[in-house]
Amino acid sequence: MSVETKRLKVFFLEDNPDDVELELYELKKSGFDVVYDVARNWKEFLDKLPNLSADIILADYSLPDITGIEAIALCRQMKIDIPVILITGEGNEMIAVDSLRLGAIDYLLKRNIAGLSARISRALEIWNEKKAKQRAEAEGKRLQELFLETQKMEAIGRLAGGIAHDFNNILTGIMGYSELSLQDAPKGTQLYQRLQSLIMLSQRGADLVKQLLIFSRKMPLESKTIELNAFILETMQFISRMLEETIEIRYDLRKNLPRIECDTSQFTQVLMNLVLNARDAISNQGTITVKTEICSLAVDSLPLKAADLGKEYVCLSVSDTGIGIESENMQKIFEPFFTTKELGKGTGIGLSVVYSIVEAHGGFINVNSQKGEGTTIKIYLPFVETLYSTDESPFYDSIADKELGKVYGTETILFAEDEDVLRELIVYVLKSFGYNVLSARDGAEALNVYCSSQQKIDIVISDLMMPNKNGIDLFKELRALNPDVKFVLSTGYSLSEQDETVLEKMNAIVTKPYTPMQLAQLIRETMRA
């Protein structure tokens, strides 16, 4: 009800026209501009309920074929959210109690009809206060559930990060021993090929771990030049595990796409959000199509600058055969926390994240959807002019084939690593390359070795995550002792939460899994720097 105009929409459930006229007279006398409709029996009431638009229902307590209390029950059953005042000629206290208990907002005797306007005004105030409280409680419940969901995702992220750290140590050991064995195996033999396959499979395991870290938001953000098709096929191997077998995934990938510059961790999030939204739209039964092409921006498709028109882009689109998007929701789908999904089925932040990532990469998004005919979300990305045609994984740098002579040295190395098998492997290999190697099981032991050693330690290589003292704290204390200390940090986790000013002072950072040969090459580069 508008306070300024006092306009009031009333629905009467009343079989006596004189009573309707009397109630209208009272309302108009008090300054209400009344718009009204009337139902005189059960049938008329039932026919008009589905399209009912009213501020309040004034229901006679007793009609020939329906009572006011039955009318309230019917409104509840049909989810008609309108306050009801019962009006009766009987002053029965039990009727009044039952009316209020069963959902009436007020109860009025016909002989007191002169007070109708005041009772309606008060009833609407109470109703609005009640609705505001319900909305606040619902919003509080939604925010609580969102908070719990966020906590759950953070816990999953920590779990994934911990698993990734341990698994990277295992992969480093597998790759290291495989590479050692490869040096002893005659080239061209079946054993040599098997060892190469073992290293290749370990690399793919490393890809999987990196994607786990991406989903848990434990990977530092960094852009690199990639070929989009290879990125899609590799990432979809991981995402497809989240889809039901009843969903068909189709690929329409243009060959010889130009390279794009992007952060693979962020674009894994983009592809995951688009595919999982498509999955939800088709209700676990239908087709999702992932397509790449080179295209131009249409004049009427996006708000563009004149310089953008006619410019070519690498395009990634994800289409589904689902329910489509209501036209009134099209302008809201990228708004944070907007969702049409059921409570608990989505937070409404997925597409807003997609939008911000694409925009940060200088791209555009276009959405084409019709209710009942599916949805296509197309992303336009600027590309690097040179064509890119390689099968190399966009997530992992392949092992370089270097001459052994370039990795030998005679310096003294302090190697700190809490994983016993990995520590023993690296110490053995570095000693075989001519180095004098001291080892430590954790940061505290490494600091003691450095301080008590009678030899000059030329370079320290330390794992990030160790008991007693981690690699960051070890570096800080060593640098306090020797500002010129050469220090290499090894990690199978993430540096995104570490102080960048500290990391910049280190000589190098090596990411697990790595092979002994890669580490030996890094040592030589660090010593020459």
Side-chain angles (χ1 to χ4, degrees):
M1 181 182 69
S2 172
V3 176
E4 290 78 9
T5 63
K6 298 185 75 173
R7 185 177 178 84
L8 184 69
K9 293 187 289 184
V10 181
F11 185 79
F12 293 96
L13 177 58
E14 176 62 70
D15 62 337
N16 188 337
D18 292 337
D19 286 343
V20 173
E21 288 299 325
L22 179 60
E23 291 163 17
L24 283 172
Y25 173 76
E26 287 297 327
L27 293 173
K28 291 177 180 178
K29 185 175 69 172
S30 300
F32 283 108
D33 177 14
V34 182
V35 177
Y36 71 96
D37 195 3
V38 181
R40 294 166 296 180
N41 52 51
W42 170 275
K43 184 179 185 307
E44 289 185 5
F45 186 61
L46 195 62
D47 289 344
K48 293 182 178 182
L49 265 186
N51 300 313
L52 182 60
S53 175
D55 297 315
I56 198 159
I57 297 174
L58 300 181
D60 191 2
Y61 176 75
S62 182
L63 283 77
D65 58 355
I66 185 174
T67 67
I69 290 179
E70 289 172 338
I72 293 172
L74 187 59
C75 286
R76 280 186 171 183
Q77 182 181 343
M78 299 184 65
K79 302 188 183 304
I80 305 296
D81 196 21
I82 300 173
V84 179
I85 294 179
L86 287 184
I87 301 178
T88 180
E90 302 178 23
N92 187 316
E93 185 177 332
M94 185 59 68
I95 293 175
V97 172
D98 286 346
S99 301
L100 296 175
R101 180 173 58 83
L102 295 172
I105 197 167
D106 203 355
Y107 174 86
L108 184 66
L109 295 175
K110 288 187 177 181
R111 64 173 176 264
N112 296 330
I113 203 68
L116 178 61
S117 297
R119 299 287 280 271
I120 286 179
S121 296
R122 180 55 183 156
L124 290 177
E125 288 179 9
I126 294 171
W127 185 260
N128 289 334
E129 288 173 2
K130 177 183 176 183
K131 290 296 149 184
K133 183 179 179 181
Q134 288 175 348
R135 287 193 295 270
E137 289 175 349
E139 180 64 12
K141 183 179 179 182
R142 189 186 72 84
L143 292 175
Q144 177 67 15
E145 290 177 346
L146 183 59
F147 174 71
L148 293 174
E149 185 71 17
T150 302
Q151 283 189 317
K152 182 175 72 176
M153 293 307 295
E154 288 177 354
I156 292 172
R158 288 193 294 271
L159 176 62
I163 292 172
H165 173 264
D166 292 341
F167 195 50
N168 272 328
N169 279 338
I170 295 170
L171 286 175
T172 302
I174 292 172
M175 293 170 68
Y177 280 111
S178 298
E179 189 176 70
L180 279 182
S181 301
L182 199 63
Q183 302 298 328
D184 298 330
K187 288 187 177 181
T189 64
Q190 192 176 53
L191 175 60
Y192 190 89
Q193 293 172 355
R194 287 174 178 173
L195 290 169
Q196 283 186 319
S197 296
L198 189 58
I199 294 175
M200 180 189 69
L201 290 172
S202 298
Q203 290 175 335
R204 293 191 64 179
D207 293 344
L208 179 60
V209 171
K210 287 195 173 185
Q211 291 180 64
L212 279 173
L213 291 172
I214 287 167
F215 289 128
S216 64
R217 299 181 181 179
K218 296 297 183 182
M219 281 293 291
L221 304 181
E222 54 182 22
S223 293
K224 63 190 297 185
T225 302
I226 67 165
E227 197 276 319
L228 186 58
N229 289 343
F231 169 81
I232 289 170
L233 292 173
E234 189 147 0
T235 306
M236 285 300 296
Q237 290 180 14
F238 188 84
I239 297 175
S240 62
R241 296 185 178 93
M242 305 179 190
L243 307 180
E244 290 72 12
E245 293 181 357
T246 53
I247 295 176
E248 180 185 1
I249 303 175
R250 296 179 181 173
Y251 297 97
D252 183 5
L253 307 179
R254 170 169 172 160
K255 294 181 178 180
N256 298 321
L257 275 178
R259 292 181 294 177
I260 62 169
E261 193 78 27
C262 83
D263 185 303
T264 54
S265 65
Q266 289 188 348
F267 262 84
T268 298
Q269 191 71 41
V270 167
L271 188 57
M272 180 182 71
N273 284 338
L274 294 183
V275 171
L276 295 187
N277 272 357
R279 175 201 64 183
D280 294 340
I282 61 180
S283 300
N284 304 330
Q285 184 71 47
T287 302
I288 298 174
T289 302
V290 181
K291 181 178 181 180
T292 58
E293 57 187 321
I294 297 176
C295 51
S296 301
L297 291 166
V299 176
D300 58 351
S301 62
L302 295 164
L304 304 171
K305 300 175 184 177
D308 296 321
L309 298 177
K311 184 177 177 181
E312 288 191 329
Y313 292 82
V314 169
C315 288
L316 161 65
S317 61
V318 176
S319 305
D320 64 68
T321 56
I323 58 175
I325 302 172
E326 297 278 5
S327 57
E328 60 267 25
N329 292 331
M330 285 291 286
Q331 301 301 317
K332 304 176 186 177
I333 60 175
F334 294 114
E335 294 178 5
F337 303 111
F338 174 78
T339 180
T340 58
K341 298 175 184 178
E342 297 176 14
L343 193 63
K345 295 293 181 67
T347 60
I349 60 175
L351 286 179
S352 62
V353 169
V354 169
Y355 184 88
S356 62
I357 291 174
V358 172
E359 188 177 55
H361 283 74
F364 305 92
I365 300 180
N366 195 17
V367 182
N368 184 10
S369 181
Q370 292 185 3
K371 187 64 178 175
E373 297 185 13
T375 301
T376 297
I377 298 182
K378 181 179 286 189
I379 295 173
Y380 298 77
L381 299 168
F383 59 80
V384 180
E385 297 296 333
T386 309
L387 290 180
Y388 182 75
S389 55
T390 178
D391 294 329
E392 183 179 321
S393 164
F395 291 105
Y396 191 81
D397 297 326
S398 60
I399 300 173
D401 185 15
K402 301 286 186 178
E403 294 179 14
L404 282 177
K406 294 183 179 180
V407 297
Y408 279 92
T410 58
E411 292 88 351
T412 297
I413 299 172
L414 171 57
F415 184 74
E417 168 63 58
D418 61 315
E419 187 71 32
D420 293 339
V421 173
L422 184 55
R423 186 179 62 255
E424 293 168 3
L425 166 68
I426 298 300
V427 169
Y428 171 80
V429 173
L430 293 181
K431 283 184 176 180
S432 71
F433 289 158
Y435 295 102
N436 178 36
V437 185
L438 306 175
S439 66
R441 294 179 178 85
D442 56 50
E445 185 178 343
L447 183 63
N448 290 335
V449 171
Y450 190 89
C451 294
S452 61
S453 176
Q454 301 301 313
Q455 310 170 59
K456 176 190 174 184
I457 296 176
D458 298 289
I459 185 169
V460 179
I461 303 169
S462 171
D463 189 25
L464 171 64
M465 303 300 293
M466 296 183 296
N468 299 324
K469 194 185 299 294
N470 65 35
I472 298 290
D473 292 337
L474 174 62
F475 171 69
K476 290 178 181 178
E477 296 192 37
L478 290 179
R479 203 164 187 271
L481 294 172
N482 177 14
D484 296 324
V485 63
K486 288 186 180 292
F487 191 94
V488 175
L489 184 69
S490 166
T491 178
Y493 195 50
S494 166
L495 300 174
S496 58
E497 298 177 1
Q498 304 299 331
D499 188 345
E500 291 186 5
T501 59
V502 174
L503 298 177
E504 288 172 355
K505 295 173 183 177
M506 297 178 181
N507 296 86
I509 297 172
V510 58
T511 302
K512 294 178 181 178
Y514 57 79
T515 68
M517 186 68 72
Q518 288 173 319
L519 182 62
Q521 291 162 6
L522 180 61
I523 290 171
R524 293 311 329 143
E525 292 169 3
T526 304
M527 295 307 302
R528 286 194 296 267

